[in-house]
mmCIF file with all atom_site columns, all heavy atoms in Angstrom:
data_model
loop_
_atom_site.group_PDB
_atom_site.id
_atom_site.type_symbol
_atom_site.label_atom_id
_atom_site.label_alt_id
_atom_site.label_comp_id
_atom_site.label_asym_id
_atom_site.label_entity_id
_atom_site.label_seq_id
_atom_site.pdbx_PDB_ins_code
_atom_site.Cartn_x
_atom_site.Cartn_y
_atom_site.Cartn_z
_atom_site.occupancy
_atom_site.B_iso_or_equiv
_atom_site.pdbx_formal_charge
_atom_site.auth_seq_id
_atom_site.auth_comp_id
_atom_site.auth_asym_id
_atom_site.auth_atom_id
_atom_site.pdbx_PDB_model_num
ATOM 1   N N   . VAL B 1 175 ? 0.428   70.378 -21.434 1.00 61.00 ? 195 VAL B N   1
ATOM 2   C CA  . VAL B 1 175 ? -0.802  69.838 -20.875 1.00 61.00 ? 195 VAL B CA  1
ATOM 3   C C   . VAL B 1 175 ? -0.577  69.308 -19.467 1.00 61.00 ? 195 VAL B C   1
ATOM 4   O O   . VAL B 1 175 ? -1.296  69.624 -18.536 1.00 61.00 ? 195 VAL B O   1
ATOM 5   C CB  . VAL B 1 175 ? -1.355  68.716 -21.776 1.00 61.00 ? 195 VAL B CB  1
ATOM 6   C CG1 . VAL B 1 175 ? -2.461  67.973 -21.063 1.00 61.00 ? 195 VAL B CG1 1
ATOM 7   C CG2 . VAL B 1 175 ? -1.861  69.326 -23.065 1.00 61.00 ? 195 VAL B CG2 1
ATOM 8   N N   . ILE B 1 176 ? 0.463   68.509 -19.354 1.00 56.00 ? 196 ILE B N   1
ATOM 9   C CA  . ILE B 1 176 ? 0.699   67.904 -18.055 1.00 56.00 ? 196 ILE B CA  1
ATOM 10  C C   . ILE B 1 176 ? 1.195   68.945 -17.061 1.00 56.00 ? 196 ILE B C   1
ATOM 11  O O   . ILE B 1 176 ? 0.753   69.018 -15.933 1.00 56.00 ? 196 ILE B O   1
ATOM 12  C CB  . ILE B 1 176 ? 1.719   66.745 -18.182 1.00 56.00 ? 196 ILE B CB  1
ATOM 13  C CG1 . ILE B 1 176 ? 1.099   65.662 -19.040 1.00 56.00 ? 196 ILE B CG1 1
ATOM 14  C CG2 . ILE B 1 176 ? 2.077   66.206 -16.810 1.00 56.00 ? 196 ILE B CG2 1
ATOM 15  C CD1 . ILE B 1 176 ? 2.055   64.569 -19.390 1.00 56.00 ? 196 ILE B CD1 1
ATOM 16  N N   . GLN B 1 178 ? 0.791   72.011 -17.293 1.00 52.00 ? 198 GLN B N   1
ATOM 17  C CA  . GLN B 1 178 ? -0.246  73.020 -17.184 1.00 52.00 ? 198 GLN B CA  1
ATOM 18  C C   . GLN B 1 178 ? 0.272   74.448 -17.226 1.00 52.00 ? 198 GLN B C   1
ATOM 19  O O   . GLN B 1 178 ? -0.429  75.344 -17.628 1.00 52.00 ? 198 GLN B O   1
ATOM 20  C CB  . GLN B 1 178 ? -1.071  72.796 -15.927 1.00 52.00 ? 198 GLN B CB  1
ATOM 21  C CG  . GLN B 1 178 ? -1.832  71.503 -16.050 1.00 52.00 ? 198 GLN B CG  1
ATOM 22  C CD  . GLN B 1 178 ? -2.829  71.320 -14.957 1.00 52.00 ? 198 GLN B CD  1
ATOM 23  O OE1 . GLN B 1 178 ? -3.007  72.193 -14.139 1.00 52.00 ? 198 GLN B OE1 1
ATOM 24  N NE2 . GLN B 1 178 ? -3.496  70.204 -14.972 1.00 52.00 ? 198 GLN B NE2 1
ATOM 25  N N   . LEU B 1 382 ? 0.007   51.464 -20.366 1.00 71.00 ? 402 LEU B N   1
ATOM 26  C CA  . LEU B 1 382 ? 0.788   52.669 -20.075 1.00 71.00 ? 402 LEU B CA  1
ATOM 27  C C   . LEU B 1 382 ? 0.104   53.922 -20.600 1.00 71.00 ? 402 LEU B C   1
ATOM 28  O O   . LEU B 1 382 ? -0.105  54.873 -19.852 1.00 71.00 ? 402 LEU B O   1
ATOM 29  C CB  . LEU B 1 382 ? 2.189   52.545 -20.675 1.00 71.00 ? 402 LEU B CB  1
ATOM 30  C CG  . LEU B 1 382 ? 3.230   52.013 -19.704 1.00 71.00 ? 402 LEU B CG  1
ATOM 31  C CD1 . LEU B 1 382 ? 4.598   52.044 -20.340 1.00 71.00 ? 402 LEU B CD1 1
ATOM 32  C CD2 . LEU B 1 382 ? 3.224   52.867 -18.440 1.00 71.00 ? 402 LEU B CD2 1
ATOM 33  N N   . PRO B 1 383 ? -0.243  53.898 -21.895 1.00 67.00 ? 403 PRO B N   1
ATOM 34  C CA  . PRO B 1 383 ? -0.965  55.064 -22.394 1.00 67.00 ? 403 PRO B CA  1
ATOM 35  C C   . PRO B 1 383 ? -2.228  55.300 -21.576 1.00 67.00 ? 403 PRO B C   1
ATOM 36  O O   . PRO B 1 383 ? -2.601  56.439 -21.330 1.00 67.00 ? 403 PRO B O   1
ATOM 37  C CB  . PRO B 1 383 ? -1.324  54.691 -23.832 1.00 67.00 ? 403 PRO B CB  1
ATOM 38  C CG  . PRO B 1 383 ? -0.482  53.541 -24.182 1.00 67.00 ? 403 PRO B CG  1
ATOM 39  C CD  . PRO B 1 383 ? 0.069   52.938 -22.936 1.00 67.00 ? 403 PRO B CD  1
ATOM 40  N N   . ALA B 1 384 ? -2.847  54.236 -21.146 1.00 68.00 ? 404 ALA B N   1
ATOM 41  C CA  . ALA B 1 384 ? -4.082  54.389 -20.388 1.00 68.00 ? 404 ALA B CA  1
ATOM 42  C C   . ALA B 1 384 ? -3.813  55.139 -19.096 1.00 68.00 ? 404 ALA B C   1
ATOM 43  O O   . ALA B 1 384 ? -4.539  56.062 -18.730 1.00 68.00 ? 404 ALA B O   1
ATOM 44  C CB  . ALA B 1 384 ? -4.697  53.020 -20.094 1.00 68.00 ? 404 ALA B CB  1
ATOM 45  N N   . VAL B 1 385 ? -2.761  54.743 -18.418 1.00 72.00 ? 405 VAL B N   1
ATOM 46  C CA  . VAL B 1 385 ? -2.432  55.416 -17.159 1.00 72.00 ? 405 VAL B CA  1
ATOM 47  C C   . VAL B 1 385 ? -2.103  56.881 -17.424 1.00 72.00 ? 405 VAL B C   1
ATOM 48  O O   . VAL B 1 385 ? -2.596  57.777 -16.733 1.00 72.00 ? 405 VAL B O   1
ATOM 49  C CB  . VAL B 1 385 ? -1.232  54.720 -16.478 1.00 72.00 ? 405 VAL B CB  1
ATOM 50  C CG1 . VAL B 1 385 ? -0.771  55.535 -15.281 1.00 72.00 ? 405 VAL B CG1 1
ATOM 51  C CG2 . VAL B 1 385 ? -1.620  53.322 -16.051 1.00 72.00 ? 405 VAL B CG2 1
ATOM 52  N N   . ALA B 1 386 ? -1.288  57.111 -18.450 1.00 72.00 ? 406 ALA B N   1
ATOM 53  C CA  . ALA B 1 386 ? -0.896  58.480 -18.763 1.00 72.00 ? 406 ALA B CA  1
ATOM 54  C C   . ALA B 1 386 ? -2.125  59.312 -19.107 1.00 72.00 ? 406 ALA B C   1
ATOM 55  O O   . ALA B 1 386 ? -2.296  60.434 -18.622 1.00 72.00 ? 406 ALA B O   1
ATOM 56  C CB  . ALA B 1 386 ? 0.093   58.488 -19.921 1.00 72.00 ? 406 ALA B CB  1
ATOM 57  N N   . LEU B 1 387 ? -2.985  58.723 -19.915 1.00 69.00 ? 407 LEU B N   1
ATOM 58  C CA  . LEU B 1 387 ? -4.178  59.432 -20.352 1.00 69.00 ? 407 LEU B CA  1
ATOM 59  C C   . LEU B 1 387 ? -5.054  59.769 -19.154 1.00 69.00 ? 407 LEU B C   1
ATOM 60  O O   . LEU B 1 387 ? -5.551  60.892 -19.009 1.00 69.00 ? 407 LEU B O   1
ATOM 61  C CB  . LEU B 1 387 ? -4.947  58.553 -21.340 1.00 69.00 ? 407 LEU B CB  1
ATOM 62  C CG  . LEU B 1 387 ? -6.052  59.256 -22.103 1.00 69.00 ? 407 LEU B CG  1
ATOM 63  C CD1 . LEU B 1 387 ? -5.436  60.287 -23.032 1.00 69.00 ? 407 LEU B CD1 1
ATOM 64  C CD2 . LEU B 1 387 ? -6.877  58.259 -22.892 1.00 69.00 ? 407 LEU B CD2 1
ATOM 65  N N   . LEU B 1 388 ? -5.232  58.788 -18.290 1.00 70.00 ? 408 LEU B N   1
ATOM 66  C CA  . LEU B 1 388 ? -6.056  59.035 -17.117 1.00 70.00 ? 408 LEU B CA  1
ATOM 67  C C   . LEU B 1 388 ? -5.454  60.139 -16.260 1.00 70.00 ? 408 LEU B C   1
ATOM 68  O O   . LEU B 1 388 ? -6.173  60.999 -15.752 1.00 70.00 ? 408 LEU B O   1
ATOM 69  C CB  . LEU B 1 388 ? -6.187  57.755 -16.290 1.00 70.00 ? 408 LEU B CB  1
ATOM 70  C CG  . LEU B 1 388 ? -7.220  56.761 -16.817 1.00 70.00 ? 408 LEU B CG  1
ATOM 71  C CD1 . LEU B 1 388 ? -7.333  55.576 -15.887 1.00 70.00 ? 408 LEU B CD1 1
ATOM 72  C CD2 . LEU B 1 388 ? -8.572  57.447 -16.952 1.00 70.00 ? 408 LEU B CD2 1
ATOM 73  N N   . GLY B 1 389 ? -4.157  60.109 -16.131 1.00 72.00 ? 409 GLY B N   1
ATOM 74  C CA  . GLY B 1 389 ? -3.506  61.134 -15.322 1.00 72.00 ? 409 GLY B CA  1
ATOM 75  C C   . GLY B 1 389 ? -3.748  62.515 -15.901 1.00 72.00 ? 409 GLY B C   1
ATOM 76  O O   . GLY B 1 389 ? -4.128  63.453 -15.187 1.00 72.00 ? 409 GLY B O   1
ATOM 77  N N   . VAL B 1 390 ? -3.560  62.614 -17.203 1.00 71.00 ? 410 VAL B N   1
ATOM 78  C CA  . VAL B 1 390 ? -3.756  63.898 -17.867 1.00 71.00 ? 410 VAL B CA  1
ATOM 79  C C   . VAL B 1 390 ? -5.208  64.339 -17.750 1.00 71.00 ? 410 VAL B C   1
ATOM 80  O O   . VAL B 1 390 ? -5.515  65.479 -17.401 1.00 71.00 ? 410 VAL B O   1
ATOM 81  C CB  . VAL B 1 390 ? -3.347  63.800 -19.351 1.00 71.00 ? 410 VAL B CB  1
ATOM 82  C CG1 . VAL B 1 390 ? -3.758  65.065 -20.081 1.00 71.00 ? 410 VAL B CG1 1
ATOM 83  C CG2 . VAL B 1 390 ? -1.859  63.565 -19.470 1.00 71.00 ? 410 VAL B CG2 1
ATOM 84  N N   . LEU B 1 391 ? -6.110  63.404 -18.005 1.00 70.00 ? 411 LEU B N   1
ATOM 85  C CA  . LEU B 1 391 ? -7.526  63.733 -17.925 1.00 70.00 ? 411 LEU B CA  1
ATOM 86  C C   . LEU B 1 391 ? -7.897  64.216 -16.535 1.00 70.00 ? 411 LEU B C   1
ATOM 87  O O   . LEU B 1 391 ? -8.604  65.202 -16.361 1.00 70.00 ? 411 LEU B O   1
ATOM 88  C CB  . LEU B 1 391 ? -8.377  62.503 -18.276 1.00 70.00 ? 411 LEU B CB  1
ATOM 89  C CG  . LEU B 1 391 ? -8.521  62.227 -19.760 1.00 70.00 ? 411 LEU B CG  1
ATOM 90  C CD1 . LEU B 1 391 ? -9.442  61.047 -19.982 1.00 70.00 ? 411 LEU B CD1 1
ATOM 91  C CD2 . LEU B 1 391 ? -9.081  63.463 -20.458 1.00 70.00 ? 411 LEU B CD2 1
ATOM 92  N N   . PHE B 1 392 ? -7.387  63.492 -15.565 1.00 69.00 ? 412 PHE B N   1
ATOM 93  C CA  . PHE B 1 392 ? -7.702  63.857 -14.195 1.00 69.00 ? 412 PHE B CA  1
ATOM 94  C C   . PHE B 1 392 ? -7.209  65.262 -13.896 1.00 69.00 ? 412 PHE B C   1
ATOM 95  O O   . PHE B 1 392 ? -7.937  66.089 -13.335 1.00 69.00 ? 412 PHE B O   1
ATOM 96  C CB  . PHE B 1 392 ? -7.054  62.857 -13.244 1.00 69.00 ? 412 PHE B CB  1
ATOM 97  C CG  . PHE B 1 392 ? -7.337  63.162 -11.815 1.00 69.00 ? 412 PHE B CG  1
ATOM 98  C CD1 . PHE B 1 392 ? -8.530  62.757 -11.233 1.00 69.00 ? 412 PHE B CD1 1
ATOM 99  C CD2 . PHE B 1 392 ? -6.429  63.869 -11.049 1.00 69.00 ? 412 PHE B CD2 1
ATOM 100 C CE1 . PHE B 1 392 ? -8.799  63.049 -9.921  1.00 69.00 ? 412 PHE B CE1 1
ATOM 101 C CE2 . PHE B 1 392 ? -6.697  64.169 -9.727  1.00 69.00 ? 412 PHE B CE2 1
ATOM 102 C CZ  . PHE B 1 392 ? -7.885  63.763 -9.152  1.00 69.00 ? 412 PHE B CZ  1
ATOM 103 N N   . GLY B 1 393 ? -5.972  65.534 -14.313 1.00 69.00 ? 413 GLY B N   1
ATOM 104 C CA  . GLY B 1 393 ? -5.405  66.851 -14.065 1.00 69.00 ? 413 GLY B CA  1
ATOM 105 C C   . GLY B 1 393 ? -6.232  67.938 -14.723 1.00 69.00 ? 413 GLY B C   1
ATOM 106 O O   . GLY B 1 393 ? -6.585  68.941 -14.095 1.00 69.00 ? 413 GLY B O   1
ATOM 107 N N   . GLN B 1 394 ? -6.586  67.692 -15.986 1.00 68.00 ? 414 GLN B N   1
ATOM 108 C CA  . GLN B 1 394 ? -7.354  68.691 -16.718 1.00 68.00 ? 414 GLN B CA  1
ATOM 109 C C   . GLN B 1 394 ? -8.728  68.889 -16.104 1.00 68.00 ? 414 GLN B C   1
ATOM 110 O O   . GLN B 1 394 ? -9.176  70.005 -15.886 1.00 68.00 ? 414 GLN B O   1
ATOM 111 C CB  . GLN B 1 394 ? -7.515  68.251 -18.184 1.00 68.00 ? 414 GLN B CB  1
ATOM 112 C CG  . GLN B 1 394 ? -6.316  68.550 -19.042 1.00 68.00 ? 414 GLN B CG  1
ATOM 113 C CD  . GLN B 1 394 ? -5.972  70.026 -19.012 1.00 68.00 ? 414 GLN B CD  1
ATOM 114 O OE1 . GLN B 1 394 ? -6.791  70.874 -18.683 1.00 68.00 ? 414 GLN B OE1 1
ATOM 115 N NE2 . GLN B 1 394 ? -4.732  70.344 -19.318 1.00 68.00 ? 414 GLN B NE2 1
ATOM 116 N N   . LEU B 1 395 ? -9.355  67.779 -15.825 1.00 66.00 ? 415 LEU B N   1
ATOM 117 C CA  . LEU B 1 395 ? -10.707 67.821 -15.286 1.00 66.00 ? 415 LEU B CA  1
ATOM 118 C C   . LEU B 1 395 ? -10.707 68.607 -13.996 1.00 66.00 ? 415 LEU B C   1
ATOM 119 O O   . LEU B 1 395 ? -11.538 69.484 -13.761 1.00 66.00 ? 415 LEU B O   1
ATOM 120 C CB  . LEU B 1 395 ? -11.158 66.375 -15.025 1.00 66.00 ? 415 LEU B CB  1
ATOM 121 C CG  . LEU B 1 395 ? -12.653 66.122 -15.172 1.00 66.00 ? 415 LEU B CG  1
ATOM 122 C CD1 . LEU B 1 395 ? -13.069 66.459 -16.592 1.00 66.00 ? 415 LEU B CD1 1
ATOM 123 C CD2 . LEU B 1 395 ? -12.961 64.672 -14.856 1.00 66.00 ? 415 LEU B CD2 1
ATOM 124 N N   . SER B 1 396 ? -9.716  68.275 -13.203 1.00 65.00 ? 416 SER B N   1
ATOM 125 C CA  . SER B 1 396 ? -9.633  68.912 -11.906 1.00 65.00 ? 416 SER B CA  1
ATOM 126 C C   . SER B 1 396 ? -9.426  70.413 -12.060 1.00 65.00 ? 416 SER B C   1
ATOM 127 O O   . SER B 1 396 ? -10.031 71.216 -11.356 1.00 65.00 ? 416 SER B O   1
ATOM 128 C CB  . SER B 1 396 ? -8.482  68.285 -11.138 1.00 65.00 ? 416 SER B CB  1
ATOM 129 O OG  . SER B 1 396 ? -8.548  68.681 -9.818  1.00 65.00 ? 416 SER B OG  1
ATOM 130 N N   . PHE B 1 449 ? -9.586  51.529 -16.324 1.00 82.00 ? 469 PHE B N   1
ATOM 131 C CA  . PHE B 1 449 ? -8.249  51.233 -16.839 1.00 82.00 ? 469 PHE B CA  1
ATOM 132 C C   . PHE B 1 449 ? -8.309  50.247 -17.981 1.00 82.00 ? 469 PHE B C   1
ATOM 133 O O   . PHE B 1 449 ? -7.720  50.432 -19.040 1.00 82.00 ? 469 PHE B O   1
ATOM 134 C CB  . PHE B 1 449 ? -7.400  50.618 -15.726 1.00 82.00 ? 469 PHE B CB  1
ATOM 135 C CG  . PHE B 1 449 ? -6.462  51.597 -15.132 1.00 82.00 ? 469 PHE B CG  1
ATOM 136 C CD1 . PHE B 1 449 ? -6.741  52.951 -15.164 1.00 82.00 ? 469 PHE B CD1 1
ATOM 137 C CD2 . PHE B 1 449 ? -5.295  51.171 -14.553 1.00 82.00 ? 469 PHE B CD2 1
ATOM 138 C CE1 . PHE B 1 449 ? -5.881  53.857 -14.611 1.00 82.00 ? 469 PHE B CE1 1
ATOM 139 C CE2 . PHE B 1 449 ? -4.421  52.078 -13.994 1.00 82.00 ? 469 PHE B CE2 1
ATOM 140 C CZ  . PHE B 1 449 ? -4.714  53.413 -14.017 1.00 82.00 ? 469 PHE B CZ  1
#
Side-chain angles (χ1 to χ4, degrees):
Chain B
V195 169
I196 295 172
Q198 294 189 4
L402 266 185
V405 172
L407 192 67
L408 280 183
V410 171
L411 280 183
F412 180 82
Q414 279 303 339
L415 211 60
S416 192
F469 258 26

